[in-house]
Amino acid sequence: MTDIKAIEKRYQAYQIIDRAEYGLISMASNNEAYGVPMSIIRLGDSLYFHTGQKGKNIDFLKENPRVSISFIGEVEVPDLYDKNQIEEMVTDPSKHGKFVNTVFTTNFESVIVNGDAELLLEDKEKIEVMRAICQKYTPNMIDYFDIPITRSLNITNVYKVSIENFKVRSKKVKV
């Protein structure tokens, strides 16, 4: 892949990640798989999420920090034809391929990221990440950020996943 194409793919991936409401973090440990949706923020080339300090996801991450995170962007079933156009395709067998490929399909975009989850230990870095998460998910409440961070910083785990590799998947049906 040329440098320009790689830059364009990274830009596309980051746009999808930044717009996604959440990411699905998939983990594996002792021949068991586990996935959990999380509120995730991207800062530079890293992803961040927070958890409590106990639970199944913590156990999995301690055993095996390797994660795969899926982000779903825009998804829609295209509405490309009016009733007359549909009837024309249905009655003409030569148009059945187009009918199936453009009517019974979904437009979508997604990104799958792989990396290792690293527990952050420095309060300053944890606060910066938590502020970014709050800015994304509750921007109208950011003026009150000090209250929840003071109350919960010492009982919150914050993880960083450096983006080692990613795969962008997308499809947009055009007539």
Side-chain angles (χ1 to χ4, degrees):
M1 188 179 316
T2 67
D3 287 341
I4 300 277
K5 285 190 179 192
I7 290 168
E8 288 172 351
K9 276 290 187 197
R10 183 170 295 273
Y11 179 76
Q12 181 185 15
Y14 285 4
Q15 281 188 316
I16 294 168
I17 290 168
D18 293 345
R19 285 192 318 258
E21 291 185 44
Y22 62 90
L24 177 64
I25 299 177
S26 299
M27 304 168 254
S29 178
N30 296 323
N31 293 321
E32 183 181 356
Y34 183 63
V36 61
M38 293 277 201
S39 303
I40 298 175
I41 189 76
R42 181 188 63 82
L43 299 173
D45 293 328
S46 297
L47 303 173
Y48 298 86
F49 62 94
H50 71 288
T51 69
Q53 294 184 332
K54 294 180 181 177
K56 191 170 188 173
N57 53 342
I58 302 304
D59 297 339
F60 270 68
L61 291 171
K62 283 180 182 175
E63 177 71 28
N64 179 7
R66 192 76 181 155
V67 297
S68 177
I69 307 175
S70 300
F71 297 92
I72 311 300
E74 294 180 19
V75 178
E76 70 170 350
V77 175
D79 186 15
L80 305 172
Y81 308 107
D82 63 30
K83 181 79 169 153
N84 291 335
Q85 291 169 312
I86 295 288
E87 289 298 324
E88 181 183 327
M89 285 190 281
V90 168
T91 58
D92 182 351
S94 70
K95 295 183 179 175
H96 285 180
K98 180 179 181 181
F99 176 70
V100 170
N101 291 332
T102 61
V103 174
F104 294 93
T105 191
T106 304
N107 292 335
F108 67 89
E109 61 182 8
S110 64
V111 177
I112 301 169
V113 173
N114 293 301
D116 290 331
E118 169 193 349
L119 179 64
L120 300 183
L121 301 174
E122 297 295 323
D123 282 354
K124 183 178 178 186
E125 190 175 16
K126 288 171 61 174
I127 292 169
E128 179 184 331
V129 169
M130 292 303 296
R131 183 179 303 280
I133 290 171
C134 288
Q135 185 65 47
K136 177 177 179 177
Y137 292 96
T138 57
N140 59 332
M141 300 302 283
I142 200 69
D143 291 344
Y144 307 103
F145 174 75
D146 290 341
I147 294 169
I149 201 66
T150 299
R151 181 175 170 90
S152 62
L153 183 64
N154 64 345
I155 59 169
T156 301
N157 282 353
V158 178
Y159 290 89
K160 172 183 180 179
V161 178
S162 297
I163 299 173
E164 290 179 16
N165 59 63
F166 63 89
K167 180 170 179 72
V168 175
R169 296 188 64 232
S170 65
K171 181 174 99 177
K172 182 83 170 171
V173 174
K174 297 175 187 164
V175 180

